[in-house]
Amino acid sequence: MALQGPEELLEEPEDLDEDASISPAEEITLPAGPGAEDEPQETVLLPWDRFSAWLHCICVVGFDLELGQAVEVIYPHHSKLSEKEKTSICYLSFPDSNSGCLGDTQFCFRFRQGSNRKSSLGCFLETADRDAPPCLKREQGHYYGYVYFRQVRDKTLKRGYFQKSLVLISKLPYVTFFHSLLKILAPEYFEKQEPCLEAACNDIDRWPTPQPGRVLTLPIMGVVIKVRIPTCYDKPGTSQLVQSTQSDSSVSIVLPTIHEVDLFRCFYPVFFHIQMLWELSSDTVLALVSCISPLRYCSDFRPYFTIHDSEFKEYTTRTQAPPSVILGVTNPFFAKTLQHWPHIIRIGDMKQKSSNSFRR
């Protein structure tokens, strides 16, 4: 299986010239939150710092008849991923089920970070995390992968199908926001290919950093998204919804939330479209975790998990008690392998009168 694209994509970037399409380093003033009087009031953002505040990288994962899933492209080119991380991304970016669904599907997964990486945004990120609710703090040892998968018939290909995923890799658990971003970015990428990704990366590198409590306007490929990132100081039980105003003539999309999953959709007792199983499974795990919000779920959870995951043996062993983890799976293999687990939720089991079953 191939785990990386052309070698030049992984090389360190050359010195940037004046005409490079990249936002220059700028000096911004950070807002002081409660308890932040002793924090520095200014910080310098270098090229790609703004991008790194939102995303680690963007990956394109394709399917090769001889090699299997392969990371074809990584943007920005200087982004680093270990071989283990690439393996996880490769296997988790494609649906793992017997369904032959056609069209576009979105889901997300979570995987362990292979190694610690230092960031020039360290002090700023600590400040932003301090003001964020526990459930929205930046992940320390894991990445999220937000996937837009496309499968369509193509007679010009040996397999008869075009299969490719566009994946956003981030430390941020902003599920709704990144899924909305992919709905803008992915269709453009599938039509215009790599130049579209380069343009998108440069747009993101001009965004303001994700500061809790601020209403942000984020331009991306001719579309402007308006969002607000919650803070830990928001009143519990209330929602600080972003409202459209008359001055928002340039705003295309207003997102009322950046992270909340539709609980009703996830747990509605009947699912007739079995081809959407992995997408529903992914959201269901996130919905379970969000049930205790604003508290943070501190055990491990994987919205999408496959037999190829590097922790597969660790989580399926019978030599010890089941681990403290929530797994979202779609492969029927797990029904037998994990039948000894004490808590199992099945979605879309058409053999039963009720399509949902829960076993304790």
Side-chain angles (χ1 to χ4, degrees), residues 108-111 135 137 139 142-146 167-175 286 301 303:
C108 78
F109 58 86
R110 181 173 177 264
F111 64 101
C135 61
K137 291 185 183 297
E139 287 282 353
H142 293 79
Y143 284 117
Y144 284 91
Y146 300 97
V167 189
L168 307 181
I169 305 298
S170 177
K171 289 277 190 176
L172 299 171
Y174 299 170
V175 181
L286 295 171
F301 63 96

Side-chain angles (χ1 to χ4, degrees), residues 84-136:
K84 188 175 182 180
E85 289 168 343
K86 291 176 190 174
T87 299
S88 295
I89 293 170
C90 280
Y91 282 121
L92 293 170
S93 297
F94 275 46
D96 183 36
S97 75
N98 296 326
S99 172
C101 74
L102 296 176
D104 299 341
T105 304
Q106 289 188 252
F107 59 98
C108 78
F109 58 86
R110 181 173 177 264
F111 64 101
R112 284 181 183 170
Q113 178 179 329
S115 59
N116 292 326
R117 295 184 176 90
K118 294 182 179 180
S119 170
S120 58
L121 285 171
C123 293
F124 168 77
L125 296 180
E126 289 179 5
T127 302
D129 255 8
R130 181 197 58 205
D131 295 334
C135 61
L136 290 182

